[in-house]
Amino acid sequence: MSLLPELYEAVVIGDDDLAAELTGECIEAGLAPQTIIDDALIPAMAEAGRRFETDEYFVPDLIMSGRAIKAGLALLSPLLGAGSSSHAGSVVIATVQGDLHDIGKNLVAVMLEGAGFEVVDLGTDVAPEEMVAAIREHRPQLVGLSALLTTTMLSMPATIEAIEAAGLRDQVKVLIGGPPLNEERAREFGADAYADNANAAVRAAFELVGVK
Ligand code: B12
């Protein structure tokens, strides 16, 4: 088997040690980090999700696949960042309150860093007031919000309202993402933009901060 299908399989079965080892081998073999992410890690997580939806997998299986994808990403993140000396702007990113999913958000954070943004990652289950405090502390141009659940996506308008109430809304642009979101919901929630994947997130971020 060639390396990418082996890595795909390691993530699907949730073997984090093997995923790290194979990611290392992919890097040594000269595969581009983006290819490793797009052709092995993301499709593997999608397959784990498909198995969850068809009751072949349960929450512990998803947690293991999640750990395996993170083990691979940990090795790839520094390489994605390499070579970007420019400072495109700063971003505070978070998964919103009530939501513990962070794989997609981490991927977006890694790609933004790779594109030259300074990224402050607040993690998961971030309350609106934590985001407000982080904006006061870090003074970013951009806020990124992630939600994976139809219930927790409602923490997005709550967060944007809290930013507004704190008098900070005109100082930041808000970019949102996650499977339950779309352009229409972004408008409805008062965000400035929506992006459906990490590459689109980088393009949207550049546009929002006015970098061509
Ligand atoms: C992995 C996973 C988990 C893991 C999370 C591990 C982790 N550390 O993240 C665990 C096991 C913990 C988990 C728990 C739960 N999960 Co879950 N999970 C998933 C799963 C399989 C994959 C999500 C994922 O990581 N995808 C891969 C990443 C790369 O994709 P992504 O997140 O979409 O991110 C991309 C884009 O959306 C976008 N993006 C994401 N964030 C952002 C942010 C910005 C700013 C931008 C611009 C873009 C952007 O760019 C990313 C990269 O391309 C999905 C199903 C699926 N196929 O999506 C279910 C899913 C999201 N989970 C679901 C459910 C129901 C749950 C639980 C309630 C299960 C339970 N009964 O306990 C809990 C909730 C816990 C909580 N409070 O959050 C449902 C949600 C249903 C819904 N519509 O509300 C899903 C859809 C599965 C299903 N079909 O039932 N889950």
Side-chain angles (χ1 to χ4, degrees), residues 42 45-46 48-50 52-53 59 62-63 66 69-70 93 98-105 107-108 144-151 175-180 194-198 201:
I42 293 185
M45 203 61 232
R50 190 197 64 74
F52 180 66
E53 281 158 30
V59 169
L62 284 188
I63 292 176
I69 195 173
K70 282 183 184 180
I93 193 165
D99 201 317
L100 301 175
H101 296 84
D102 67 355
I103 297 168
K105 183 262 299 161
L107 204 51
V108 171
L145 298 176
S146 177
L148 273 274
L149 301 171
T150 41
T151 47
L175 173 63
I176 66 171
Y194 156 80
D196 69 352
N197 65 63

mmCIF file of all heavy atoms in Angstrom, residues 42 45-46 48-50 52-53 59 62-63 66 69-70 93 98-105 107-108 144-151 175-180 194-198 201, ligand 1:
data_model
loop_
_atom_site.group_PDB
_atom_site.id
_atom_site.type_symbol
_atom_site.label_atom_id
_atom_site.label_comp_id
_atom_site.label_asym_id
_atom_site.label_seq_id
_atom_site.Cartn_x
_atom_site.Cartn_y
_atom_site.Cartn_z
ATOM 1 N N ILE A 42 -8.250 14.576 5.913
ATOM 2 C CA ILE A 42 -9.654 15.027 5.886
ATOM 3 C C ILE A 42 -10.594 13.924 5.375
ATOM 4 O O ILE A 42 -11.620 13.654 6.007
ATOM 5 C CB ILE A 42 -9.808 16.348 5.083
ATOM 6 C CG1 ILE A 42 -9.091 17.471 5.857
ATOM 7 C CG2 ILE A 42 -11.279 16.704 4.874
ATOM 8 C CD1 ILE A 42 -9.250 18.847 5.281
ATOM 9 N N MET A 45 -11.256 11.491 8.183
ATOM 10 C CA MET A 45 -12.174 11.967 9.227
ATOM 11 C C MET A 45 -13.610 11.910 8.701
ATOM 12 O O MET A 45 -14.544 11.580 9.439
ATOM 13 C CB MET A 45 -11.800 13.410 9.602
ATOM 14 C CG MET A 45 -12.258 13.833 10.964
ATOM 15 S SD MET A 45 -11.568 12.836 12.291
ATOM 16 C CE MET A 45 -13.033 12.383 13.179
ATOM 17 N N ALA A 46 -13.770 12.203 7.406
ATOM 18 C CA ALA A 46 -15.105 12.122 6.800
ATOM 19 C C ALA A 46 -15.619 10.683 6.828
ATOM 20 O O ALA A 46 -16.796 10.428 7.091
ATOM 21 C CB ALA A 46 -15.062 12.650 5.362
ATOM 22 N N ALA A 48 -14.711 8.355 9.019
ATOM 23 C CA ALA A 48 -15.054 8.043 10.416
ATOM 24 C C ALA A 48 -16.442 8.618 10.724
ATOM 25 O O ALA A 48 -17.264 7.963 11.377
ATOM 26 C CB ALA A 48 -13.995 8.608 11.361
ATOM 27 N N GLY A 49 -16.707 9.823 10.224
ATOM 28 C CA GLY A 49 -18.013 10.453 10.437
ATOM 29 C C GLY A 49 -19.128 9.662 9.768
ATOM 30 O O GLY A 49 -20.206 9.476 10.334
ATOM 31 N N ARG A 50 -18.826 9.165 8.554
ATOM 32 C CA ARG A 50 -19.834 8.357 7.844
ATOM 33 C C ARG A 50 -20.157 7.096 8.649
ATOM 34 O O ARG A 50 -21.325 6.730 8.817
ATOM 35 C CB ARG A 50 -19.311 7.977 6.447
ATOM 36 C CG ARG A 50 -20.360 7.360 5.543
ATOM 37 C CD ARG A 50 -19.758 6.636 4.350
ATOM 38 N NE ARG A 50 -18.944 5.475 4.710
ATOM 39 C CZ ARG A 50 -19.423 4.301 5.133
ATOM 40 N NH1 ARG A 50 -20.723 4.115 5.256
ATOM 41 N NH2 ARG A 50 -18.589 3.304 5.447
ATOM 42 N N PHE A 52 -19.924 6.748 11.809
ATOM 43 C CA PHE A 52 -20.680 7.168 13.003
ATOM 44 C C PHE A 52 -22.162 7.305 12.638
ATOM 45 O O PHE A 52 -23.050 6.864 13.362
ATOM 46 C CB PHE A 52 -20.112 8.499 13.506
ATOM 47 C CG PHE A 52 -20.794 9.062 14.725
ATOM 48 C CD1 PHE A 52 -20.712 8.412 15.947
ATOM 49 C CD2 PHE A 52 -21.497 10.258 14.658
ATOM 50 C CE1 PHE A 52 -21.334 8.941 17.080
ATOM 51 C CE2 PHE A 52 -22.112 10.792 15.778
ATOM 52 C CZ PHE A 52 -22.028 10.123 16.997
ATOM 53 N N GLU A 53 -22.387 7.898 11.469
ATOM 54 C CA GLU A 53 -23.770 8.127 11.046
ATOM 55 C C GLU A 53 -24.499 6.827 10.732
ATOM 56 O O GLU A 53 -25.715 6.755 10.833
ATOM 57 C CB GLU A 53 -23.789 9.063 9.818
ATOM 58 C CG GLU A 53 -23.610 10.515 10.227
ATOM 59 C CD GLU A 53 -23.096 11.412 9.112
ATOM 60 O OE1 GLU A 53 -23.380 11.128 7.940
ATOM 61 O OE2 GLU A 53 -22.393 12.388 9.441
ATOM 62 N N VAL A 59 -19.084 7.190 19.721
ATOM 63 C CA VAL A 59 -18.300 8.364 20.122
ATOM 64 C C VAL A 59 -16.829 8.028 20.439
ATOM 65 O O VAL A 59 -15.921 8.729 19.974
ATOM 66 C CB VAL A 59 -18.998 9.124 21.282
ATOM 67 C CG1 VAL A 59 -18.078 10.175 21.872
ATOM 68 C CG2 VAL A 59 -20.285 9.775 20.770
ATOM 69 N N LEU A 62 -14.824 7.938 17.323
ATOM 70 C CA LEU A 62 -14.600 9.275 16.752
ATOM 71 C C LEU A 62 -13.482 9.993 17.509
ATOM 72 O O LEU A 62 -12.670 10.700 16.916
ATOM 73 C CB LEU A 62 -15.867 10.131 16.841
ATOM 74 C CG LEU A 62 -16.984 9.837 15.853
ATOM 75 C CD1 LEU A 62 -18.054 10.913 15.970
ATOM 76 C CD2 LEU A 62 -16.451 9.806 14.437
ATOM 77 N N ILE A 63 -13.483 9.810 18.831
ATOM 78 C CA ILE A 63 -12.434 10.463 19.632
ATOM 79 C C ILE A 63 -11.069 9.930 19.197
ATOM 80 O O ILE A 63 -10.112 10.683 19.016
ATOM 81 C CB ILE A 63 -12.675 10.243 21.146
ATOM 82 C CG1 ILE A 63 -13.939 11.001 21.565
ATOM 83 C CG2 ILE A 63 -11.460 10.678 21.969
ATOM 84 C CD1 ILE A 63 -14.356 10.804 23.005
ATOM 85 N N GLY A 66 -10.178 11.336 15.912
ATOM 86 C CA GLY A 66 -9.826 12.742 16.158
ATOM 87 C C GLY A 66 -8.402 12.871 16.663
ATOM 88 O O GLY A 66 -7.642 13.743 16.228
ATOM 89 N N ILE A 69 -5.952 12.199 13.717
ATOM 90 C CA ILE A 69 -5.797 13.319 12.763
ATOM 91 C C ILE A 69 -4.958 14.423 13.410
ATOM 92 O O ILE A 69 -4.100 15.044 12.777
ATOM 93 C CB ILE A 69 -7.169 13.832 12.249
ATOM 94 C CG1 ILE A 69 -6.995 14.708 11.012
ATOM 95 C CG2 ILE A 69 -7.931 14.614 13.249
ATOM 96 C CD1 ILE A 69 -8.314 15.120 10.355
ATOM 97 N N LYS A 70 -5.149 14.628 14.723
ATOM 98 C CA LYS A 70 -4.370 15.662 15.416
ATOM 99 C C LYS A 70 -2.883 15.299 15.454
ATOM 100 O O LYS A 70 -2.027 16.168 15.352
ATOM 101 C CB LYS A 70 -4.882 15.837 16.848
ATOM 102 C CG LYS A 70 -6.151 16.654 16.916
ATOM 103 C CD LYS A 70 -6.562 16.851 18.355
ATOM 104 C CE LYS A 70 -7.880 17.578 18.433
ATOM 105 N NZ LYS A 70 -8.322 17.783 19.809
ATOM 106 N N ILE A 93 -9.376 32.990 17.321
ATOM 107 C CA ILE A 93 -10.277 31.954 16.811
ATOM 108 C C ILE A 93 -10.761 31.071 17.959
ATOM 109 O O ILE A 93 -10.038 30.868 18.945
ATOM 110 C CB ILE A 93 -9.569 31.135 15.695
ATOM 111 C CG1 ILE A 93 -10.573 30.270 14.928
ATOM 112 C CG2 ILE A 93 -8.447 30.279 16.249
ATOM 113 C CD1 ILE A 93 -10.025 29.721 13.613
ATOM 114 N N GLY A 98 -20.421 25.588 24.303
ATOM 115 C CA GLY A 98 -21.209 24.353 24.251
ATOM 116 C C GLY A 98 -20.678 23.327 23.273
ATOM 117 O O GLY A 98 -21.105 22.178 23.273
ATOM 118 N N ASP A 99 -19.732 23.747 22.443
ATOM 119 C CA ASP A 99 -19.256 22.883 21.352
ATOM 120 C C ASP A 99 -17.810 22.449 21.598
ATOM 121 O O ASP A 99 -16.943 23.285 21.850
ATOM 122 C CB ASP A 99 -19.351 23.659 20.035
ATOM 123 C CG ASP A 99 -19.375 22.747 18.833
ATOM 124 O OD1 ASP A 99 -18.582 21.777 18.798
ATOM 125 O OD2 ASP A 99 -20.186 22.986 17.922
ATOM 126 N N LEU A 100 -17.569 21.119 21.510
ATOM 127 C CA LEU A 100 -16.235 20.588 21.814
ATOM 128 C C LEU A 100 -15.459 20.171 20.564
ATOM 129 O O LEU A 100 -14.347 19.681 20.655
ATOM 130 C CB LEU A 100 -16.368 19.383 22.754
ATOM 131 C CG LEU A 100 -17.060 19.677 24.086
ATOM 132 C CD1 LEU A 100 -17.244 18.403 24.892
ATOM 133 C CD2 LEU A 100 -16.272 20.706 24.889
ATOM 134 N N HIS A 101 -16.058 20.346 19.395
ATOM 135 C CA HIS A 101 -15.374 19.950 18.156
ATOM 136 C C HIS A 101 -14.266 20.957 17.836
ATOM 137 O O HIS A 101 -14.527 22.156 17.782
ATOM 138 C CB HIS A 101 -16.365 19.913 16.995
ATOM 139 C CG HIS A 101 -17.441 18.893 17.150
ATOM 140 N ND1 HIS A 101 -18.579 19.138 17.869
ATOM 141 C CD2 HIS A 101 -17.548 17.628 16.682
ATOM 142 C CE1 HIS A 101 -19.352 18.056 17.838
ATOM 143 N NE2 HIS A 101 -18.750 17.112 17.125
ATOM 144 N N ASP A 102 -13.058 20.443 17.577
ATOM 145 C CA ASP A 102 -11.994 21.411 17.271
ATOM 146 C C ASP A 102 -11.104 21.029 16.097
ATOM 147 O O ASP A 102 -10.149 21.733 15.785
ATOM 148 C CB ASP A 102 -11.137 21.689 18.519
ATOM 149 C CG ASP A 102 -10.326 20.471 18.975
ATOM 150 O OD1 ASP A 102 -10.487 19.383 18.382
ATOM 151 O OD2 ASP A 102 -9.541 20.630 19.927
ATOM 152 N N ILE A 103 -11.409 19.918 15.429
ATOM 153 C CA ILE A 103 -10.516 19.485 14.349
ATOM 154 C C ILE A 103 -10.530 20.498 13.196
ATOM 155 O O ILE A 103 -9.479 20.931 12.716
ATOM 156 C CB ILE A 103 -10.894 18.064 13.872
ATOM 157 C CG1 ILE A 103 -10.688 17.075 15.028
ATOM 158 C CG2 ILE A 103 -10.078 17.655 12.657
ATOM 159 C CD1 ILE A 103 -11.289 15.702 14.803
ATOM 160 N N GLY A 104 -11.734 20.881 12.774
ATOM 161 C CA GLY A 104 -11.852 21.849 11.675
ATOM 162 C C GLY A 104 -11.296 23.204 12.061
ATOM 163 O O GLY A 104 -10.557 23.829 11.286
ATOM 164 N N LYS A 105 -11.621 23.638 13.280
ATOM 165 C CA LYS A 105 -11.109 24.938 13.757
ATOM 166 C C LYS A 105 -9.586 24.932 13.804
ATOM 167 O O LYS A 105 -8.928 25.892 13.403
ATOM 168 C CB LYS A 105 -11.715 25.223 15.140
ATOM 169 C CG LYS A 105 -11.368 26.558 15.769
ATOM 170 C CD LYS A 105 -10.233 26.467 16.772
ATOM 171 C CE LYS A 105 -10.516 25.581 17.948
ATOM 172 N NZ LYS A 105 -9.279 25.178 18.643
ATOM 173 N N LEU A 107 -7.586 23.154 12.012
ATOM 174 C CA LEU A 107 -7.089 23.161 10.635
ATOM 175 C C LEU A 107 -7.107 24.584 10.076
ATOM 176 O O LEU A 107 -6.143 25.035 9.433
ATOM 177 C CB LEU A 107 -7.990 22.250 9.802
ATOM 178 C CG LEU A 107 -7.447 21.639 8.548
ATOM 179 C CD1 LEU A 107 -6.118 20.950 8.806
ATOM 180 C CD2 LEU A 107 -8.448 20.607 8.019
ATOM 181 N N VAL A 108 -8.198 25.299 10.338
ATOM 182 C CA VAL A 108 -8.300 26.688 9.879
ATOM 183 C C VAL A 108 -7.198 27.524 10.540
ATOM 184 O O VAL A 108 -6.511 28.311 9.877
ATOM 185 C CB VAL A 108 -9.710 27.271 10.183
ATOM 186 C CG1 VAL A 108 -9.762 28.767 9.925
ATOM 187 C CG2 VAL A 108 -10.769 26.557 9.345
ATOM 188 N N GLY A 144 -12.514 34.489 14.395
ATOM 189 C CA GLY A 144 -13.006 33.292 13.707
ATOM 190 C C GLY A 144 -13.822 32.447 14.671
ATOM 191 O O GLY A 144 -13.366 32.157 15.784
ATOM 192 N N LEU A 145 -15.036 32.092 14.267
ATOM 193 C CA LEU A 145 -15.897 31.282 15.133
ATOM 194 C C LEU A 145 -16.272 29.993 14.417
ATOM 195 O O LEU A 145 -16.683 30.013 13.255
ATOM 196 C CB LEU A 145 -17.182 32.049 15.475
ATOM 197 C CG LEU A 145 -17.030 33.364 16.254
ATOM 198 C CD1 LEU A 145 -18.395 34.030 16.415
ATOM 199 C CD2 LEU A 145 -16.387 33.124 17.618
ATOM 200 N N SER A 146 -16.149 28.876 15.154
ATOM 201 C CA SER A 146 -16.471 27.571 14.594
ATOM 202 C C SER A 146 -17.596 26.925 15.398
ATOM 203 O O SER A 146 -17.626 27.043 16.627
ATOM 204 C CB SER A 146 -15.225 26.679 14.648
ATOM 205 O OG SER A 146 -15.502 25.386 14.171
ATOM 206 N N ALA A 147 -18.514 26.237 14.712
ATOM 207 C CA ALA A 147 -19.552 25.445 15.392
ATOM 208 C C ALA A 147 -19.893 24.248 14.522
ATOM 209 O O ALA A 147 -19.980 24.361 13.295
ATOM 210 C CB ALA A 147 -20.807 26.279 15.626
ATOM 211 N N LEU A 148 -20.057 23.099 15.153
ATOM 212 C CA LEU A 148 -20.378 21.868 14.406
ATOM 213 C C LEU A 148 -21.797 21.386 14.657
ATOM 214 O O LEU A 148 -22.290 20.504 13.965
ATOM 215 C CB LEU A 148 -19.395 20.747 14.797
ATOM 216 C CG LEU A 148 -18.060 20.587 14.069
ATOM 217 C CD1 LEU A 148 -18.198 19.744 12.828
ATOM 218 C CD2 LEU A 148 -17.391 21.881 13.763
ATOM 219 N N LEU A 149 -22.429 21.914 15.675
ATOM 220 C CA LEU A 149 -23.758 21.420 16.036
ATOM 221 C C LEU A 149 -24.819 22.462 15.706
ATOM 222 O O LEU A 149 -24.574 23.671 15.858
ATOM 223 C CB LEU A 149 -23.817 21.096 17.535
ATOM 224 C CG LEU A 149 -22.812 20.058 18.061
ATOM 225 C CD1 LEU A 149 -22.848 20.002 19.582
ATOM 226 C CD2 LEU A 149 -23.110 18.679 17.506
ATOM 227 N N THR A 150 -25.980 21.994 15.286
ATOM 228 C CA THR A 150 -27.067 22.940 14.982
ATOM 229 C C THR A 150 -27.509 23.676 16.252
ATOM 230 O O THR A 150 -28.028 24.782 16.169
ATOM 231 C CB THR A 150 -28.268 22.215 14.344
ATOM 232 O OG1 THR A 150 -28.464 20.987 15.035
ATOM 233 C CG2 THR A 150 -28.042 21.914 12.897
ATOM 234 N N THR A 151 -27.310 23.031 17.403
ATOM 235 C CA THR A 151 -27.662 23.713 18.662
ATOM 236 C C THR A 151 -26.607 24.780 19.008
ATOM 237 O O THR A 151 -26.946 25.934 19.277
ATOM 238 C CB THR A 151 -27.750 22.700 19.819
ATOM 239 O OG1 THR A 151 -26.598 21.860 19.768
ATOM 240 C CG2 THR A 151 -29.001 21.864 19.714
ATOM 241 N N LEU A 175 -15.524 36.122 10.970
ATOM 242 C CA LEU A 175 -15.572 35.062 9.951
ATOM 243 C C LEU A 175 -16.056 33.791 10.634
ATOM 244 O O LEU A 175 -15.510 33.406 11.668
ATOM 245 C CB LEU A 175 -14.152 34.866 9.394
ATOM 246 C CG LEU A 175 -13.912 33.699 8.440
ATOM 247 C CD1 LEU A 175 -14.739 33.851 7.161
ATOM 248 C CD2 LEU A 175 -12.416 33.631 8.079
ATOM 249 N N ILE A 176 -17.083 33.148 10.085
ATOM 250 C CA ILE A 176 -17.611 31.946 10.735
ATOM 251 C C ILE A 176 -17.530 30.730 9.807
ATOM 252 O O ILE A 176 -17.466 30.866 8.594
ATOM 253 C CB ILE A 176 -19.061 32.140 11.240
ATOM 254 C CG1 ILE A 176 -20.046 32.337 10.081
ATOM 255 C CG2 ILE A 176 -19.154 33.306 12.225
ATOM 256 C CD1 ILE A 176 -21.508 32.312 10.520
ATOM 257 N N GLY A 177 -17.538 29.539 10.434
ATOM 258 C CA GLY A 177 -17.514 28.312 9.648
ATOM 259 C C GLY A 177 -17.959 27.112 10.459
ATOM 260 O O GLY A 177 -18.112 27.194 11.680
ATOM 261 N N GLY A 178 -18.163 26.003 9.739
ATOM 262 C CA GLY A 178 -18.661 24.769 10.348
ATOM 263 C C GLY A 178 -19.838 24.269 9.522
ATOM 264 O O GLY A 178 -20.530 25.078 8.904
ATOM 265 N N PRO A 179 -20.037 22.947 9.503
ATOM 266 C CA PRO A 179 -21.045 22.374 8.603
ATOM 267 C C PRO A 179 -22.471 22.932 8.714
ATOM 268 O O PRO A 179 -23.154 23.023 7.695
ATOM 269 C CB PRO A 179 -21.026 20.877 8.947
ATOM 270 C CG PRO A 179 -19.691 20.658 9.563
ATOM 271 C CD PRO A 179 -19.295 21.934 10.241
ATOM 272 N N PRO A 180 -22.980 23.319 9.895
ATOM 273 C CA PRO A 180 -24.370 23.822 9.876
ATOM 274 C C PRO A 180 -24.499 25.256 9.350
ATOM 275 O O PRO A 180 -25.613 25.755 9.210
ATOM 276 C CB PRO A 180 -24.803 23.771 11.355
ATOM 277 C CG PRO A 180 -23.582 23.633 12.163
ATOM 278 C CD PRO A 180 -22.440 23.269 11.261
ATOM 279 N N TYR A 194 -18.512 33.942 5.673
ATOM 280 C CA TYR A 194 -18.576 32.513 5.956
ATOM 281 C C TYR A 194 -17.604 31.817 5.002
ATOM 282 O O TYR A 194 -17.461 32.231 3.849
ATOM 283 C CB TYR A 194 -20.009 32.001 5.722
ATOM 284 C CG TYR A 194 -20.091 30.527 5.425
ATOM 285 C CD1 TYR A 194 -20.022 29.600 6.464
ATOM 286 C CD2 TYR A 194 -20.201 30.047 4.112
ATOM 287 C CE1 TYR A 194 -20.078 28.239 6.207
ATOM 288 C CE2 TYR A 194 -20.259 28.687 3.844
ATOM 289 C CZ TYR A 194 -20.198 27.784 4.893
ATOM 290 O OH TYR A 194 -20.238 26.446 4.638
ATOM 291 N N ALA A 195 -16.940 30.777 5.486
ATOM 292 C CA ALA A 195 -16.110 29.964 4.588
ATOM 293 C C ALA A 195 -16.314 28.499 4.938
ATOM 294 O O ALA A 195 -16.416 28.147 6.113
ATOM 295 C CB ALA A 195 -14.640 30.344 4.713
ATOM 296 N N ASP A 196 -16.372 27.637 3.911
ATOM 297 C CA ASP A 196 -16.729 26.242 4.166
ATOM 298 C C ASP A 196 -15.531 25.305 4.267
ATOM 299 O O ASP A 196 -15.710 24.108 4.494
ATOM 300 C CB ASP A 196 -17.746 25.737 3.130
ATOM 301 C CG ASP A 196 -17.148 25.610 1.747
ATOM 302 O OD1 ASP A 196 -15.991 26.054 1.541
ATOM 303 O OD2 ASP A 196 -17.836 25.075 0.860
ATOM 304 N N ASN A 197 -14.317 25.828 4.111
ATOM 305 C CA ASN A 197 -13.138 24.983 4.335
ATOM 306 C C ASN A 197 -11.946 25.870 4.661
ATOM 307 O O ASN A 197 -12.038 27.105 4.582
ATOM 308 C CB ASN A 197 -12.871 24.079 3.116
ATOM 309 C CG ASN A 197 -12.513 24.878 1.883
ATOM 310 O OD1 ASN A 197 -11.497 25.572 1.851
ATOM 311 N ND2 ASN A 197 -13.359 24.815 0.869
ATOM 312 N N ALA A 198 -10.832 25.229 5.010
ATOM 313 C CA ALA A 198 -9.696 25.995 5.514
ATOM 314 C C ALA A 198 -9.057 26.882 4.435
ATOM 315 O O ALA A 198 -8.608 27.994 4.732
ATOM 316 C CB ALA A 198 -8.662 25.042 6.116
ATOM 317 N N ALA A 201 -11.225 29.766 4.005
ATOM 318 C CA ALA A 201 -11.107 30.618 5.196
ATOM 319 C C ALA A 201 -9.935 31.587 5.041
ATOM 320 O O ALA A 201 -10.045 32.765 5.384
ATOM 321 C CB ALA A 201 -10.917 29.754 6.447
HETATM 322 C C1 B12 B 1 -15.103 14.077 15.147
HETATM 323 C C2 B12 B 1 -16.508 14.334 15.610
HETATM 324 C C3 B12 B 1 -16.741 14.384 16.989
HETATM 325 C C4 B12 B 1 -15.615 14.276 18.026
HETATM 326 C C5 B12 B 1 -14.898 15.650 18.094
HETATM 327 C C6 B12 B 1 -13.410 15.505 18.327
HETATM 328 C C7 B12 B 1 -12.728 16.848 18.201
HETATM 329 N N1 B12 B 1 -11.690 17.001 18.974
HETATM 330 O O1 B12 B 1 -13.110 17.728 17.422
HETATM 331 C C8 B12 B 1 -16.410 13.945 19.324
HETATM 332 C C9 B12 B 1 -16.450 12.445 19.486
HETATM 333 C C10 B12 B 1 -15.875 14.556 20.603
HETATM 334 C C11 B12 B 1 -17.813 14.421 18.953
HETATM 335 C C12 B12 B 1 -18.783 14.665 19.902
HETATM 336 C C13 B12 B 1 -20.097 14.959 19.573
HETATM 337 N N2 B12 B 1 -20.632 15.008 18.334
HETATM 338 CO CO1 B12 B 1 -19.570 15.015 16.720
HETATM 339 N N3 B12 B 1 -18.803 14.703 15.033
HETATM 340 C C14 B12 B 1 -17.574 14.510 14.660
HETATM 341 C C15 B12 B 1 -17.529 14.299 13.125
HETATM 342 C C16 B12 B 1 -17.464 12.800 12.826
HETATM 343 C C17 B12 B 1 -16.374 14.927 12.382
HETATM 344 C C18 B12 B 1 -16.161 16.417 12.589
HETATM 345 C C19 B12 B 1 -14.804 16.790 12.017
HETATM 346 O O2 B12 B 1 -13.836 16.902 12.749
HETATM 347 N N4 B12 B 1 -14.716 16.890 10.664
HETATM 348 C C20 B12 B 1 -13.445 17.141 9.974
HETATM 349 C C21 B12 B 1 -13.167 18.651 9.902
HETATM 350 C C22 B12 B 1 -11.853 18.872 9.145
HETATM 351 O O3 B12 B 1 -14.218 19.252 9.183
HETATM 352 P P1 B12 B 1 -15.119 20.437 9.767
HETATM 353 O O4 B12 B 1 -15.204 20.356 11.229
HETATM 354 O O5 B12 B 1 -16.361 20.533 8.976
HETATM 355 O O6 B12 B 1 -14.240 21.744 9.476
HETATM 356 C C23 B12 B 1 -14.055 22.295 8.172
HETATM 357 C C24 B12 B 1 -15.151 23.302 7.767
HETATM 358 O O7 B12 B 1 -16.395 23.107 8.395
HETATM 359 C C25 B12 B 1 -14.537 24.636 8.043
HETATM 360 N N5 B12 B 1 -14.574 25.223 9.385
HETATM 361 C C26 B12 B 1 -14.705 24.634 10.591
HETATM 362 N N6 B12 B 1 -14.589 25.529 11.582
HETATM 363 C C27 B12 B 1 -14.360 26.727 11.007
HETATM 364 C C28 B12 B 1 -14.172 28.005 11.553
HETATM 365 C C29 B12 B 1 -13.977 29.091 10.710
HETATM 366 C C30 B12 B 1 -13.742 30.437 11.305
HETATM 367 C C31 B12 B 1 -14.023 28.898 9.297
HETATM 368 C C32 B12 B 1 -13.890 30.058 8.421
HETATM 369 C C33 B12 B 1 -14.213 27.630 8.754
HETATM 370 C C34 B12 B 1 -14.368 26.558 9.594
HETATM 371 O O8 B12 B 1 -13.171 24.420 7.730
HETATM 372 C C35 B12 B 1 -12.782 23.140 8.264
HETATM 373 C C36 B12 B 1 -11.592 22.601 7.510
HETATM 374 O O9 B12 B 1 -11.842 22.408 6.139
HETATM 375 C C37 B12 B 1 -18.900 14.938 12.694
HETATM 376 C C38 B12 B 1 -19.552 14.329 11.445
HETATM 377 C C39 B12 B 1 -18.973 14.848 10.173
HETATM 378 N N7 B12 B 1 -18.857 13.990 9.192
HETATM 379 O O10 B12 B 1 -18.672 16.038 10.070
HETATM 380 C C40 B12 B 1 -19.759 14.664 13.945
HETATM 381 C C41 B12 B 1 -20.936 15.585 14.251
HETATM 382 C C42 B12 B 1 -20.562 17.040 14.033
HETATM 383 N N8 B12 B 1 -21.137 15.348 15.680
HETATM 384 C C43 B12 B 1 -22.392 15.291 16.012
HETATM 385 C C44 B12 B 1 -22.874 15.026 17.326
HETATM 386 C C45 B12 B 1 -24.375 14.852 17.467
HETATM 387 C C46 B12 B 1 -22.003 14.959 18.424
HETATM 388 C C47 B12 B 1 -22.389 14.712 19.886
HETATM 389 C C48 B12 B 1 -23.641 15.439 20.370
HETATM 390 C C49 B12 B 1 -22.481 13.171 20.052
HETATM 391 C C50 B12 B 1 -22.936 12.655 21.380
HETATM 392 N N9 B12 B 1 -24.066 12.024 21.317
HETATM 393 O O11 B12 B 1 -22.264 12.858 22.378
HETATM 394 C C51 B12 B 1 -21.132 15.193 20.641
HETATM 395 C C52 B12 B 1 -21.192 16.712 20.992
HETATM 396 C C53 B12 B 1 -20.062 17.173 21.855
HETATM 397 C C54 B12 B 1 -20.077 18.677 21.970
HETATM 398 N N10 B12 B 1 -20.708 19.224 23.001
HETATM 399 O O12 B12 B 1 -19.528 19.348 21.111
HETATM 400 C C55 B12 B 1 -23.310 15.545 14.824
HETATM 401 C C56 B12 B 1 -23.914 16.963 14.805
HETATM 402 C C57 B12 B 1 -25.363 16.946 14.370
HETATM 403 C C58 B12 B 1 -25.868 18.342 14.291
HETATM 404 N N11 B12 B 1 -26.130 18.784 13.080
HETATM 405 O O13 B12 B 1 -26.033 19.021 15.257
HETATM 406 C C59 B12 B 1 -22.352 15.211 13.632
HETATM 407 C C60 B12 B 1 -22.677 15.971 12.327
HETATM 408 C C61 B12 B 1 -22.468 13.667 13.397
HETATM 409 C C62 B12 B 1 -23.865 13.228 13.004
HETATM 410 N N12 B12 B 1 -24.185 13.200 11.736
HETATM 411 O O14 B12 B 1 -24.658 12.922 13.853
HETATM 412 N N13 B12 B 1 -17.960 14.538 17.607
#
